[in-house]
Amino acid sequence: MSVERSSQRCELHAAADLLATLDERLIEHLTVDDSRTFVLYNEAILDLTVSDGDLCAARSFTIGLQGFAQRVSDPDPESVITALCRDLTASIDTKQR
């Protein structure tokens, strides 16, 4: 199965701890370094890379698709990436209010 590489940039209103947010949302992830982690979300492997700040104080980040589990028969990269971005930003915005 070939999946086209997709990515999306996500902006936050204020710096936020993405690792804590992932943990709170029970989203599995594997931290690579201070600005990058691989995320398992909706049977997809996503590359989350912070472009402003670091994983513990991020203001913007990019989510890129690495691949899907083999059992996913009709993957939609854009919808999975958008869903994770919305999930994280909504959770962070709720906490910051």
Side-chain angles (χ1 to χ4, degrees), residues 67-85:
F68 282 92
Q70 287 195 358
R71 66 180 169 273
V72 177
S73 61
D74 189 19
D76 182 0
E78 294 300 322
S79 69
V80 173
I81 292 169
T82 298
L84 178 59
C85 187

Side-chain angles (χ1 to χ4, degrees), residues 20-91:
T21 302
L22 290 167
D23 288 339
E24 289 166 8
R25 304 290 299 148
L26 302 176
I27 298 172
E28 293 184 63
H29 57 92
L30 175 64
T31 303
V32 177
D33 58 32
D34 290 344
S35 64
R36 186 175 184 201
T37 188
F38 288 107
V39 178
L40 302 175
Y41 187 79
N42 289 348
E43 300 192 43
I45 301 167
L46 302 168
D47 183 1
L48 189 154
T49 305
V50 175
S51 48
D52 183 3
D54 60 26
L55 289 168
C56 295
R59 290 197 50 97
S60 66
F61 56 96
T62 302
I63 300 172
L65 178 71
Q66 294 298 304
F68 282 92
Q70 287 195 358
R71 66 180 169 273
V72 177
S73 61
D74 189 19
D76 182 0
E78 294 300 322
S79 69
V80 173
I81 292 169
T82 298
L84 178 59
C85 187
R86 285 183 184 157
D87 192 1
L88 293 176
T89 56
S91 180

